[in-house]
Amino acid sequence: GLVAASVAAPVDLVRSRVMDDARGSGVGGSSAKYGGAMDCVIRTIRAEGPLALWKGWAPSYLRLGPHFMVSLPLLEFLRSHLFGLKPL
């Protein structure tokens, strides 16, 4: 969960900002702030510092952490009891 949240947080932040920017640049909206994902990363780092890419890490962990804590032991249980395979 920790690794997944740490890797996913910057991608989620950039995706959210670019998608929000595209929504605002429609008919009657202002012009786009970002030229793409890499432009968003560069502008975010320049304006807010590199740690800004991990804004929203806690909600990401709260979403992904429990998922991994439940799904991986469940997968091992199913492998060994349902399919008769050795645990990993």
Side-chain angles (χ1 to χ4, degrees), residues 5-23:
S6 298
V7 170
V11 177
D12 283 343
L13 178 113
V14 171
R15 178 188 51 87
S16 297
R17 288 187 179 191
V18 169
M19 286 177 67
D20 186 53
D21 188 43
R23 186 176 52 193

Side-chain angles (χ1 to χ4, degrees), residues 18-80:
V18 169
M19 286 177 67
D20 186 53
D21 188 43
R23 186 176 52 193
S25 64
V27 177
S30 60
S31 62
K33 182 177 181 180
Y34 303 113
M38 283 307 297
D39 184 45
C40 179
V41 170
I42 292 167
R43 287 178 186 242
T44 299
I45 291 173
R46 284 184 185 159
E48 304 171 45
L51 291 179
L53 294 175
W54 282 271
K55 282 184 179 178
W57 180 88
S60 179
Y61 176 73
L62 290 174
R63 181 187 68 206
L64 294 170
H67 168 74
F68 281 99
M69 285 187 240
V70 171
S71 65
L72 295 180
L74 179 62
L75 175 68
E76 287 301 318
F77 176 80
L78 292 175
R79 282 178 49 88
S80 62

